[in-house]
Amino acid sequence: MNEKKSYRLPFFLLTLVLVVGFLVNISWGSIHIPFEETLNALLGRPTETDSWQYIIWNYRIPKGLTAILVGAGLALSGLLMQTLFRNPLAGPFVLGISSGASLGTALLIMGASFFSGVLTQGLIGDISITVAASIGSFLVLFVVMTMASKVRDTMALLIIGLMFGSISAAIVSVLSYFSSAERLQRFVFWSFGSVGDLSWPQLTLLLTMILLGSILSILSIKVLNTLLLGEQYAQSMGIDMKKSRFILIVATGLLAGSITAFAGPIAFVGLAVPHLTRQLFNTSDHRILVPAVLLCGAILMLFCDLLAQLPGSAKVLPINAVTSLFGAPVVIWLLVRKQKMVF
Amino acid sequence: MSTVSHNEITVTGLSIGYRHKKKEVVIASDLDFKVLKGQLTAIVGRNGIGKSTLLRTLARIQPALSGIIQIKGTPLTAYRNLAWAKITSLVLTEPIASKNLTVFELIALGRQPYTNWIGTLTASDTHKINEVIDRLTLNTIAHRKCFELSDGQLQRVLIARALAQDTQIILLDEPTSHLDLHHKVSILKLLKKIAQETQKTILFTSHEIELAIQLCDKMLLMGSDGFPFGTPRHLTDTGAFDKLFPHESVTFNSETQTFQVRD
């Protein structure tokens, strides 16, 4: 925490990688647009064809920004949960946020057949999926938060979150079993996750939520550092654990909840990026880790999105698969190389 | 006789235990003792008698069932969280959550009650930390990570953190467990030295009764029939140690001040 160790260089390099990653990300896609033309479009200069201008501003830039927000937000919420639960296996979804979102979406897409007539096929648009996912995730979060005020043991909360996950997974299975192939496919597609297709207003809403979550996290940095010793030590140093736990859960809910609503349940990033970052920076100080996971998460997501693009083809791989395919080996490699898990 | 102002901790008619819904599980009741400033006090007794519960109650981690605990004449419950953190620091038995902290970082966390919203160390914080590192001769390991330390070293570092918190009272839960005899003695001697040199009030729970008799100013014996409190000499003379454990296992020899195994 003092050490006089400077983290300026790694932060500078990561920011550079982020900027380059973003530029490469938006110049890359199913339609080939030369890099110079991408820059022209970005700088407001005319491009060869107007459609490039349109593609970049209305499709690629929102997608790149979504990738940054999703990666950064998931990574940060993963860090919050790992520190709060002092468990390296915790991620943004331990509180049942993604299962809540899955349940909401599953009920909308597949449950609709149970209530046919109430919800017609036409109603199941992207917006209603977002709404259903938000309602689902925040409902579960609300229940977990109510329980958080009742149970004293933070670890019990972890188990409660996992149990909610099991319950929703079971309901989703039942729904899938009775669902038509077409609707099931729709649900599966949602569960692959996607950072594309967000309109500017949606992006603004996502940005607002991520900013709120980040501000709460930054205000909790001191608490997070104290939690490295455990809750009883934290209490003995004047931290109000109940209040702090509540704030951390709200922050995670805002981050992971909004991301899941807009981009689907993207696994792995939230679990892996904090570990990746700790290995890179070799510190547990949250004053370093909070900005570092934001950067690393954003970078990882940009690159995964890039890989998902399959250049030269209109096909896009499910982002959920790419994050794990690309990210898991990196984490394994780091752990094996260092022979030591830093937590 | 001591005056009121010298009483750091005054416990009157204290009952400790747990509250489950409306049912109370009383672990120990009618505890009465007074701890003076600058004294090293050991809380001893058999497993499950409530040593740690008492320590946690004194540390405000769990509420007392009834009775009064006064710190410097003010009831325990009247302190605000942050004010309390500047009066009492803790050393617990449970392992710390992250051992990736360096020794310096861990000790620096002791300054949390004094630092700003993000925990920036001021010059005086750093000065205090370095002073503690010097006092406990941790200079050679100050920049090592905690997972590299031996149990004995880690215990010294945790005590250093409590010292950095700069509190009048330090409570330690079994600071000598997991240590060999040499390190047990050196930790207890360290606590004694701190109490004498800094006039801090130190309370700890322990199973090292024979060592505590030699090193502590006062002892609280938690037995099945009562909680005698006093100097080791006084407790020996009144035969209190002999009543601490069932006689089918050990008896206390007041000549040698040791426990002897019964056949």
Short mmCIF file of all heavy atoms in Angstrom, two decimals, chain A residues 1-3 86 152 218-219 221-222 225-230 232-233 235-240 282-285 287 340 342-343, chain B residues 61 81 85 88 90-92 94 96-98 100-102 104-106 109 112-113 115-120 143 145 147 158 161 165:
data_model
loop_
_atom_site.label_atom_id
_atom_site.label_comp_id
_atom_site.label_asym_id
_atom_site.label_seq_id
_atom_site.Cartn_x
_atom_site.Cartn_y
_atom_site.Cartn_z
N MET A 1 0.82 -1.20 0.00
CA MET A 1 0.00 0.00 0.00
C MET A 1 0.86 1.26 0.00
O MET A 1 0.44 2.30 -0.45
CB MET A 1 -0.91 0.02 1.20
CG MET A 1 -2.23 -0.61 0.82
SD MET A 1 -3.07 -1.36 2.21
CE MET A 1 -3.64 -2.83 1.43
N ASN A 2 2.04 1.14 0.54
CA ASN A 2 2.96 2.23 0.22
C ASN A 2 3.91 1.66 -0.81
O ASN A 2 3.64 1.72 -1.98
CB ASN A 2 3.64 2.81 1.47
CG ASN A 2 4.99 2.22 1.76
OD1 ASN A 2 5.20 1.03 1.60
ND2 ASN A 2 5.91 3.06 2.17
N GLU A 3 4.97 0.98 -0.35
CA GLU A 3 5.87 0.27 -1.23
C GLU A 3 6.56 1.22 -2.20
O GLU A 3 7.59 0.90 -2.75
CB GLU A 3 5.16 -0.82 -2.06
CG GLU A 3 4.37 -1.80 -1.26
CD GLU A 3 5.22 -2.84 -0.59
OE1 GLU A 3 5.80 -2.55 0.48
OE2 GLU A 3 5.33 -3.94 -1.12
N ARG A 86 -14.64 -13.31 0.29
CA ARG A 86 -13.29 -13.82 0.50
C ARG A 86 -13.16 -15.22 -0.11
O ARG A 86 -12.67 -16.14 0.51
CB ARG A 86 -12.92 -13.82 1.98
CG ARG A 86 -12.83 -12.41 2.52
CD ARG A 86 -12.69 -12.36 4.01
NE ARG A 86 -13.83 -12.92 4.68
CZ ARG A 86 -15.02 -12.34 4.75
NH1 ARG A 86 -15.22 -11.18 4.16
NH2 ARG A 86 -16.01 -12.90 5.40
N ARG A 152 -26.56 -13.23 9.52
CA ARG A 152 -25.36 -12.52 9.97
C ARG A 152 -24.14 -13.00 9.21
O ARG A 152 -23.19 -12.27 9.01
CB ARG A 152 -25.15 -12.78 11.47
CG ARG A 152 -26.07 -11.94 12.33
CD ARG A 152 -25.92 -12.34 13.76
NE ARG A 152 -24.51 -12.31 14.16
CZ ARG A 152 -24.12 -11.84 15.31
NH1 ARG A 152 -24.98 -11.35 16.16
NH2 ARG A 152 -22.85 -11.84 15.63
N ILE A 218 -15.85 2.51 -5.92
CA ILE A 218 -14.72 3.37 -5.58
C ILE A 218 -14.86 3.88 -4.15
O ILE A 218 -13.89 3.92 -3.38
CB ILE A 218 -14.60 4.53 -6.60
CG1 ILE A 218 -14.13 3.97 -7.94
CG2 ILE A 218 -13.62 5.59 -6.11
CD1 ILE A 218 -14.29 4.92 -9.11
N LEU A 219 -16.09 4.21 -3.78
CA LEU A 219 -16.32 4.68 -2.40
C LEU A 219 -16.09 3.55 -1.39
O LEU A 219 -15.91 3.80 -0.20
CB LEU A 219 -17.75 5.23 -2.25
CG LEU A 219 -18.02 6.54 -2.99
CD1 LEU A 219 -19.48 6.93 -2.85
CD2 LEU A 219 -17.12 7.65 -2.48
N ILE A 221 -13.62 1.31 -1.58
CA ILE A 221 -12.25 0.79 -1.69
C ILE A 221 -11.63 0.53 -0.32
O ILE A 221 -11.03 -0.52 -0.07
CB ILE A 221 -11.37 1.76 -2.52
CG1 ILE A 221 -11.70 1.60 -4.00
CG2 ILE A 221 -9.89 1.50 -2.28
CD1 ILE A 221 -10.96 2.53 -4.92
N LYS A 222 -11.84 1.46 0.60
CA LYS A 222 -11.24 1.30 1.93
C LYS A 222 -11.83 0.08 2.64
O LYS A 222 -11.11 -0.71 3.24
CB LYS A 222 -11.49 2.56 2.75
CG LYS A 222 -10.78 2.58 4.08
CD LYS A 222 -10.88 3.96 4.71
CE LYS A 222 -10.42 3.96 6.15
NZ LYS A 222 -10.42 5.29 6.72
N ASN A 225 -10.40 -3.11 1.16
CA ASN A 225 -9.06 -3.41 1.67
C ASN A 225 -9.11 -3.97 3.08
O ASN A 225 -8.39 -4.90 3.42
CB ASN A 225 -8.18 -2.14 1.65
CG ASN A 225 -7.56 -1.92 0.28
OD1 ASN A 225 -7.41 -2.85 -0.50
ND2 ASN A 225 -7.22 -0.69 0.00
N THR A 226 -9.99 -3.41 3.91
CA THR A 226 -10.09 -3.90 5.28
C THR A 226 -10.63 -5.32 5.31
O THR A 226 -10.25 -6.13 6.15
CB THR A 226 -11.01 -2.98 6.11
OG1 THR A 226 -10.71 -1.65 5.77
CG2 THR A 226 -10.80 -3.18 7.58
N LEU A 227 -11.52 -5.62 4.37
CA LEU A 227 -12.11 -6.97 4.30
C LEU A 227 -11.08 -8.04 3.97
O LEU A 227 -11.33 -9.22 4.17
CB LEU A 227 -13.23 -7.00 3.27
CG LEU A 227 -14.61 -6.58 3.77
CD1 LEU A 227 -15.60 -6.53 2.63
CD2 LEU A 227 -15.11 -7.51 4.85
N LEU A 228 -9.91 -7.62 3.49
CA LEU A 228 -8.85 -8.59 3.21
C LEU A 228 -8.43 -9.31 4.48
O LEU A 228 -7.86 -10.39 4.44
CB LEU A 228 -7.64 -7.90 2.58
CG LEU A 228 -7.84 -7.36 1.17
CD1 LEU A 228 -6.63 -6.58 0.71
CD2 LEU A 228 -8.12 -8.50 0.20
N LEU A 229 -8.69 -8.71 5.62
CA LEU A 229 -8.36 -9.35 6.89
C LEU A 229 -9.52 -10.18 7.43
O LEU A 229 -9.35 -10.98 8.33
CB LEU A 229 -7.95 -8.31 7.94
CG LEU A 229 -6.69 -7.50 7.66
CD1 LEU A 229 -6.36 -6.61 8.82
CD2 LEU A 229 -5.52 -8.42 7.37
N GLY A 230 -10.72 -9.94 6.93
CA GLY A 230 -11.89 -10.65 7.44
C GLY A 230 -12.87 -9.67 8.07
O GLY A 230 -12.52 -8.54 8.39
N GLN A 232 -14.49 -9.66 10.99
CA GLN A 232 -14.34 -9.26 12.39
C GLN A 232 -13.27 -8.19 12.54
O GLN A 232 -13.43 -7.24 13.30
CB GLN A 232 -14.03 -10.48 13.26
CG GLN A 232 -15.20 -11.46 13.25
CD GLN A 232 -15.11 -12.49 14.36
OE1 GLN A 232 -14.06 -12.72 14.92
NE2 GLN A 232 -16.23 -13.12 14.66
N TYR A 233 -12.17 -8.36 11.81
CA TYR A 233 -11.15 -7.31 11.83
C TYR A 233 -11.71 -6.01 11.29
O TYR A 233 -11.46 -4.93 11.84
CB TYR A 233 -9.92 -7.73 11.01
CG TYR A 233 -8.94 -8.61 11.74
CD1 TYR A 233 -8.71 -9.91 11.36
CD2 TYR A 233 -8.22 -8.12 12.84
CE1 TYR A 233 -7.81 -10.72 12.02
CE2 TYR A 233 -7.32 -8.91 13.51
CZ TYR A 233 -7.11 -10.22 13.10
OH TYR A 233 -6.22 -11.00 13.76
N GLN A 235 -14.75 -4.96 11.33
CA GLN A 235 -15.59 -4.35 12.35
C GLN A 235 -14.75 -3.68 13.43
O GLN A 235 -15.07 -2.60 13.90
CB GLN A 235 -16.47 -5.42 12.99
CG GLN A 235 -17.87 -5.44 12.42
CD GLN A 235 -18.67 -6.61 12.94
OE1 GLN A 235 -18.13 -7.69 13.18
NE2 GLN A 235 -19.95 -6.41 13.12
N SER A 236 -13.67 -4.37 13.81
CA SER A 236 -12.85 -3.84 14.88
C SER A 236 -12.11 -2.57 14.45
O SER A 236 -11.58 -1.85 15.27
CB SER A 236 -11.84 -4.89 15.37
OG SER A 236 -10.70 -4.89 14.53
N MET A 237 -12.08 -2.32 13.15
CA MET A 237 -11.45 -1.08 12.69
C MET A 237 -12.48 -0.02 12.33
O MET A 237 -12.21 0.90 11.58
CB MET A 237 -10.51 -1.38 11.53
CG MET A 237 -9.26 -2.09 12.00
SD MET A 237 -8.00 -2.23 10.75
CE MET A 237 -8.41 -3.77 10.00
N GLY A 238 -13.69 -0.20 12.84
CA GLY A 238 -14.69 0.86 12.73
C GLY A 238 -15.60 0.76 11.51
O GLY A 238 -16.34 1.68 11.22
N ILE A 239 -15.51 -0.34 10.77
CA ILE A 239 -16.37 -0.50 9.59
C ILE A 239 -17.74 -1.03 10.02
O ILE A 239 -17.83 -2.00 10.77
CB ILE A 239 -15.73 -1.49 8.59
CG1 ILE A 239 -14.32 -1.07 8.22
CG2 ILE A 239 -16.63 -1.68 7.38
CD1 ILE A 239 -14.20 -0.03 7.17
N ASP A 240 -18.79 -0.40 9.51
CA ASP A 240 -20.14 -0.90 9.74
C ASP A 240 -20.41 -1.98 8.69
O ASP A 240 -20.70 -1.69 7.54
CB ASP A 240 -21.14 0.26 9.61
CG ASP A 240 -22.57 -0.19 9.89
OD1 ASP A 240 -22.81 -1.42 9.92
OD2 ASP A 240 -23.42 0.68 10.06
N ASN A 282 0.23 -8.21 -9.11
CA ASN A 282 0.75 -8.81 -7.89
C ASN A 282 0.47 -7.97 -6.64
O ASN A 282 1.36 -7.66 -5.85
CB ASN A 282 2.26 -9.06 -8.02
CG ASN A 282 2.76 -9.98 -6.94
OD1 ASN A 282 1.98 -10.74 -6.36
ND2 ASN A 282 4.04 -9.91 -6.63
N THR A 283 -0.77 -7.57 -6.50
CA THR A 283 -1.15 -6.82 -5.31
C THR A 283 -2.59 -7.17 -4.96
O THR A 283 -3.32 -7.69 -5.80
CB THR A 283 -1.03 -5.30 -5.52
OG1 THR A 283 -1.40 -4.66 -4.30
CG2 THR A 283 -1.93 -4.82 -6.64
N SER A 284 -2.97 -6.92 -3.72
CA SER A 284 -4.37 -7.08 -3.34
C SER A 284 -4.98 -5.75 -2.96
O SER A 284 -6.10 -5.68 -2.48
CB SER A 284 -4.49 -8.05 -2.15
OG SER A 284 -4.10 -9.33 -2.56
N ASP A 285 -4.21 -4.68 -3.15
CA ASP A 285 -4.68 -3.35 -2.79
C ASP A 285 -5.76 -2.90 -3.78
O ASP A 285 -5.50 -2.78 -4.98
CB ASP A 285 -3.51 -2.37 -2.83
CG ASP A 285 -3.89 -1.00 -2.34
OD1 ASP A 285 -5.10 -0.76 -2.13
OD2 ASP A 285 -2.99 -0.16 -2.16
N ARG A 287 -7.05 -0.10 -4.23
CA ARG A 287 -6.84 1.19 -4.88
C ARG A 287 -6.20 0.98 -6.24
O ARG A 287 -6.36 1.79 -7.16
CB ARG A 287 -5.96 2.09 -4.01
CG ARG A 287 -6.75 2.73 -2.88
CD ARG A 287 -5.87 3.58 -2.02
NE ARG A 287 -4.94 2.73 -1.28
CZ ARG A 287 -3.96 3.20 -0.52
NH1 ARG A 287 -3.75 4.50 -0.44
NH2 ARG A 287 -3.18 2.39 0.15
N LYS A 340 1.37 -20.19 -8.03
CA LYS A 340 0.84 -19.68 -6.77
C LYS A 340 -0.39 -18.84 -7.09
O LYS A 340 -0.32 -17.98 -7.96
CB LYS A 340 1.90 -18.80 -6.10
CG LYS A 340 1.46 -18.19 -4.80
CD LYS A 340 2.01 -18.94 -3.62
CE LYS A 340 1.13 -18.75 -2.43
NZ LYS A 340 1.21 -19.81 -1.47
N VAL A 342 -2.62 -15.90 -6.32
CA VAL A 342 -2.60 -14.67 -5.54
C VAL A 342 -4.02 -14.31 -5.19
O VAL A 342 -4.86 -14.20 -6.07
CB VAL A 342 -1.94 -13.53 -6.35
CG1 VAL A 342 -1.86 -12.28 -5.52
CG2 VAL A 342 -0.58 -13.96 -6.83
N PHE A 343 -4.30 -14.18 -3.93
CA PHE A 343 -5.65 -13.75 -3.59
C PHE A 343 -5.62 -12.76 -2.46
O PHE A 343 -4.93 -12.93 -1.50
CB PHE A 343 -6.53 -14.95 -3.20
CG PHE A 343 -7.95 -14.55 -2.91
CD1 PHE A 343 -8.75 -14.03 -3.92
CD2 PHE A 343 -8.48 -14.65 -1.65
CE1 PHE A 343 -10.04 -13.63 -3.66
CE2 PHE A 343 -9.78 -14.25 -1.39
CZ PHE A 343 -10.56 -13.75 -2.40
N ILE B 61 -17.85 -7.61 19.39
CA ILE B 61 -18.24 -8.40 18.22
C ILE B 61 -19.60 -9.03 18.48
O ILE B 61 -20.42 -9.17 17.59
CB ILE B 61 -17.18 -9.47 17.90
CG1 ILE B 61 -15.91 -8.79 17.43
CG2 ILE B 61 -17.68 -10.46 16.86
CD1 ILE B 61 -14.77 -9.73 17.20
N ASN B 81 -18.79 3.45 16.43
CA ASN B 81 -17.88 2.49 15.79
C ASN B 81 -16.45 3.00 15.66
O ASN B 81 -15.50 2.32 16.01
CB ASN B 81 -18.39 2.13 14.39
CG ASN B 81 -19.52 1.12 14.45
OD1 ASN B 81 -19.73 0.51 15.50
ND2 ASN B 81 -20.24 0.94 13.37
N ALA B 85 -12.96 1.95 17.53
CA ALA B 85 -11.80 1.41 16.82
C ALA B 85 -10.51 2.10 17.25
O ALA B 85 -9.43 1.57 17.05
CB ALA B 85 -12.00 1.57 15.31
N THR B 88 -9.88 0.15 21.11
CA THR B 88 -9.59 -1.27 21.25
C THR B 88 -9.21 -1.89 19.91
O THR B 88 -9.88 -1.68 18.91
CB THR B 88 -10.83 -2.01 21.80
OG1 THR B 88 -11.20 -1.39 23.02
CG2 THR B 88 -10.51 -3.46 22.07
N LEU B 90 -7.78 -5.65 17.94
CA LEU B 90 -8.00 -7.09 18.06
C LEU B 90 -6.90 -7.90 17.38
O LEU B 90 -6.39 -7.49 16.34
CB LEU B 90 -9.31 -7.46 17.36
CG LEU B 90 -10.62 -7.42 18.11
CD1 LEU B 90 -11.71 -7.89 17.18
CD2 LEU B 90 -10.56 -8.30 19.33
N VAL B 91 -6.60 -9.04 17.96
CA VAL B 91 -5.82 -10.06 17.26
C VAL B 91 -6.60 -11.36 17.41
O VAL B 91 -6.83 -11.82 18.51
CB VAL B 91 -4.41 -10.21 17.87
CG1 VAL B 91 -3.65 -11.32 17.16
CG2 VAL B 91 -3.63 -8.92 17.79
N LEU B 92 -7.06 -11.88 16.27
CA LEU B 92 -7.95 -13.04 16.32
C LEU B 92 -7.21 -14.33 15.97
O LEU B 92 -6.11 -14.30 15.43
CB LEU B 92 -9.11 -12.84 15.35
CG LEU B 92 -10.01 -11.64 15.65
CD1 LEU B 92 -10.85 -11.30 14.45
CD2 LEU B 92 -10.90 -11.94 16.85
N GLU B 94 -8.64 -16.71 13.97
CA GLU B 94 -8.98 -17.10 12.61
C GLU B 94 -7.94 -16.54 11.64
O GLU B 94 -7.47 -15.43 11.80
CB GLU B 94 -10.37 -16.59 12.23
CG GLU B 94 -10.49 -15.08 12.26
CD GLU B 94 -11.84 -14.58 11.77
OE1 GLU B 94 -12.84 -14.77 12.46
OE2 GLU B 94 -11.87 -13.99 10.69
N ILE B 96 -6.18 -14.77 8.53
CA ILE B 96 -6.61 -13.61 7.75
C ILE B 96 -6.99 -14.08 6.35
O ILE B 96 -6.47 -15.06 5.85
CB ILE B 96 -5.53 -12.52 7.69
CG1 ILE B 96 -4.20 -13.10 7.20
CG2 ILE B 96 -5.37 -11.85 9.02
CD1 ILE B 96 -3.19 -12.04 6.87
N ALA B 97 -7.93 -13.34 5.73
CA ALA B 97 -8.52 -13.80 4.48
C ALA B 97 -7.51 -13.80 3.34
O ALA B 97 -7.46 -14.73 2.55
CB ALA B 97 -9.72 -12.93 4.13
N SER B 98 -6.72 -12.75 3.23
CA SER B 98 -5.77 -12.67 2.13
C SER B 98 -4.35 -12.65 2.67
O SER B 98 -4.00 -11.78 3.45
CB SER B 98 -6.00 -11.40 1.30
OG SER B 98 -4.93 -11.20 0.43
N ASN B 100 -1.89 -12.40 0.62
CA ASN B 100 -1.12 -11.79 -0.44
C ASN B 100 -0.63 -10.39 -0.07
O ASN B 100 0.10 -9.75 -0.80
CB ASN B 100 -1.95 -11.73 -1.73
CG ASN B 100 -1.14 -11.29 -2.92
OD1 ASN B 100 0.01 -11.68 -3.07
ND2 ASN B 100 -1.72 -10.43 -3.74
N LEU B 101 -1.06 -9.91 1.09
CA LEU B 101 -0.60 -8.60 1.55
C LEU B 101 0.85 -8.71 1.99
O LEU B 101 1.28 -9.74 2.49
CB LEU B 101 -1.43 -8.17 2.75
CG LEU B 101 -2.92 -7.89 2.51
CD1 LEU B 101 -3.64 -7.85 3.84
CD2 LEU B 101 -3.09 -6.60 1.78
N THR B 102 1.60 -7.64 1.82
CA THR B 102 2.94 -7.63 2.40
C THR B 102 2.79 -7.30 3.88
O THR B 102 1.74 -6.80 4.33
CB THR B 102 3.85 -6.57 1.76
OG1 THR B 102 3.33 -5.28 2.06
CG2 THR B 102 3.94 -6.75 0.26
N PHE B 104 4.16 -4.96 5.52
CA PHE B 104 3.93 -3.53 5.67
C PHE B 104 2.47 -3.17 5.41
O PHE B 104 1.84 -2.45 6.18
CB PHE B 104 4.83 -2.74 4.72
CG PHE B 104 4.75 -1.25 4.92
CD1 PHE B 104 5.66 -0.60 5.73
CD2 PHE B 104 3.74 -0.50 4.32
CE1 PHE B 104 5.57 0.77 5.93
CE2 PHE B 104 3.65 0.86 4.52
CZ PHE B 104 4.57 1.51 5.33
N GLU B 105 1.91 -3.74 4.34
CA GLU B 105 0.51 -3.45 3.99
C GLU B 105 -0.43 -3.88 5.11
O GLU B 105 -1.38 -3.17 5.45
CB GLU B 105 0.11 -4.16 2.70
CG GLU B 105 0.70 -3.55 1.45
CD GLU B 105 0.41 -4.36 0.20
OE1 GLU B 105 0.27 -5.60 0.30
OE2 GLU B 105 0.32 -3.76 -0.87
N LEU B 106 -0.16 -5.08 5.65
CA LEU B 106 -1.03 -5.59 6.69
C LEU B 106 -0.99 -4.69 7.93
O LEU B 106 -2.02 -4.34 8.50
CB LEU B 106 -0.63 -7.02 7.07
CG LEU B 106 -1.68 -7.82 7.84
CD1 LEU B 106 -1.49 -9.30 7.60
CD2 LEU B 106 -1.66 -7.55 9.32
N LEU B 109 -2.88 -1.51 7.48
CA LEU B 109 -4.34 -1.58 7.61
C LEU B 109 -4.78 -1.20 9.01
O LEU B 109 -5.91 -0.76 9.22
CB LEU B 109 -4.83 -3.00 7.27
CG LEU B 109 -4.91 -3.33 5.78
CD1 LEU B 109 -5.31 -4.77 5.57
CD2 LEU B 109 -5.91 -2.41 5.07
N GLN B 112 -6.37 2.21 9.47
CA GLN B 112 -7.68 2.50 8.84
C GLN B 112 -8.55 3.48 9.61
O GLN B 112 -9.17 4.35 9.00
CB GLN B 112 -8.45 1.19 8.62
CG GLN B 112 -7.86 0.32 7.53
CD GLN B 112 -8.48 0.56 6.19
OE1 GLN B 112 -9.09 1.59 5.96
NE2 GLN B 112 -8.32 -0.36 5.29
N PRO B 113 -8.69 3.36 10.94
CA PRO B 113 -9.58 4.30 11.62
C PRO B 113 -9.12 5.75 11.52
O PRO B 113 -9.90 6.67 11.77
CB PRO B 113 -9.53 3.84 13.09
CG PRO B 113 -9.06 2.44 13.04
CD PRO B 113 -8.16 2.34 11.85
N THR B 115 -7.26 7.00 8.67
CA THR B 115 -7.00 7.48 7.32
C THR B 115 -8.26 8.06 6.67
O THR B 115 -9.36 7.91 7.18
CB THR B 115 -6.46 6.34 6.43
OG1 THR B 115 -7.35 5.23 6.50
CG2 THR B 115 -5.09 5.90 6.88
N ASN B 116 -8.06 8.68 5.50
CA ASN B 116 -9.20 9.32 4.80
C ASN B 116 -10.06 8.27 4.09
O ASN B 116 -9.87 7.07 4.27
CB ASN B 116 -8.68 10.37 3.81
CG ASN B 116 -7.84 9.74 2.69
OD1 ASN B 116 -7.64 8.53 2.65
ND2 ASN B 116 -7.36 10.55 1.79
N TRP B 117 -10.99 8.71 3.26
CA TRP B 117 -11.99 7.81 2.68
C TRP B 117 -11.40 6.70 1.84
O TRP B 117 -11.97 5.63 1.70
CB TRP B 117 -13.01 8.61 1.85
CG TRP B 117 -12.40 9.21 0.60
CD1 TRP B 117 -11.69 10.36 0.51
CD2 TRP B 117 -12.43 8.65 -0.72
NE1 TRP B 117 -11.28 10.56 -0.77
CE2 TRP B 117 -11.72 9.54 -1.55
CE3 TRP B 117 -13.00 7.50 -1.28
CZ2 TRP B 117 -11.55 9.32 -2.92
CZ3 TRP B 117 -12.83 7.29 -2.65
CH2 TRP B 117 -12.11 8.19 -3.44
N ILE B 118 -10.23 6.93 1.27
CA ILE B 118 -9.67 5.89 0.40
C ILE B 118 -8.47 5.21 1.06
O ILE B 118 -7.88 4.27 0.54
CB ILE B 118 -9.29 6.50 -0.98
CG1 ILE B 118 -9.22 5.40 -2.06
CG2 ILE B 118 -8.01 7.29 -0.93
CD1 ILE B 118 -9.15 5.95 -3.46
N GLY B 119 -8.14 5.65 2.27
CA GLY B 119 -7.10 4.97 3.04
C GLY B 119 -5.69 5.45 2.75
O GLY B 119 -4.74 4.67 2.86
N THR B 120 -5.53 6.72 2.37
CA THR B 120 -4.18 7.24 2.10
C THR B 120 -3.40 7.41 3.40
O THR B 120 -3.91 7.96 4.37
CB THR B 120 -4.28 8.62 1.41
OG1 THR B 120 -5.23 8.52 0.35
CG2 THR B 120 -2.94 9.06 0.88
N HIS B 143 8.84 -6.28 3.81
CA HIS B 143 8.33 -6.25 2.44
C HIS B 143 8.07 -7.64 1.88
O HIS B 143 7.88 -7.81 0.67
CB HIS B 143 9.26 -5.43 1.54
CG HIS B 143 9.21 -3.99 1.92
ND1 HIS B 143 8.15 -3.18 1.61
CD2 HIS B 143 10.05 -3.24 2.66
CE1 HIS B 143 8.35 -1.98 2.12
NE2 HIS B 143 9.49 -1.98 2.77
N LYS B 145 5.67 -11.05 1.55
CA LYS B 145 4.24 -11.35 1.55
C LYS B 145 3.91 -12.23 2.76
O LYS B 145 4.74 -13.02 3.20
CB LYS B 145 3.88 -12.10 0.27
CG LYS B 145 4.10 -11.28 -0.99
CD LYS B 145 2.86 -10.55 -1.37
CE LYS B 145 3.04 -9.85 -2.71
NZ LYS B 145 1.88 -9.06 -3.08
N PHE B 147 2.12 -14.86 3.03
CA PHE B 147 2.14 -16.32 2.86
C PHE B 147 3.55 -16.88 2.97
O PHE B 147 3.73 -18.08 3.07
CB PHE B 147 1.46 -16.75 1.55
CG PHE B 147 2.05 -16.18 0.30
CD1 PHE B 147 3.25 -16.62 -0.20
CD2 PHE B 147 1.36 -15.19 -0.40
CE1 PHE B 147 3.79 -16.09 -1.36
CE2 PHE B 147 1.88 -14.65 -1.57
CZ PHE B 147 3.10 -15.10 -2.05
N LEU B 158 0.60 -9.68 13.19
CA LEU B 158 -0.78 -9.34 13.57
C LEU B 158 -0.79 -8.48 14.83
O LEU B 158 -1.62 -7.57 14.97
CB LEU B 158 -1.60 -10.62 13.77
CG LEU B 158 -1.93 -11.37 12.47
CD1 LEU B 158 -2.56 -12.71 12.76
CD2 LEU B 158 -2.86 -10.52 11.59
N ARG B 161 0.05 -5.05 13.76
CA ARG B 161 -1.11 -4.35 13.19
C ARG B 161 -1.97 -3.73 14.28
O ARG B 161 -2.41 -2.60 14.20
CB ARG B 161 -1.95 -5.31 12.34
CG ARG B 161 -3.04 -4.60 11.53
CD ARG B 161 -4.27 -5.45 11.35
NE ARG B 161 -4.89 -5.80 12.61
CZ ARG B 161 -5.72 -5.02 13.29
NH1 ARG B 161 -6.03 -3.83 12.85
NH2 ARG B 161 -6.21 -5.41 14.45
N GLN B 165 -2.75 0.31 15.21
CA GLN B 165 -4.09 0.89 15.39
C GLN B 165 -4.09 1.87 16.56
O GLN B 165 -5.03 2.63 16.76
CB GLN B 165 -5.12 -0.22 15.59
CG GLN B 165 -6.54 0.18 15.24
CD GLN B 165 -7.52 -0.99 15.31
OE1 GLN B 165 -7.16 -2.14 15.04
NE2 GLN B 165 -8.75 -0.72 15.69
#
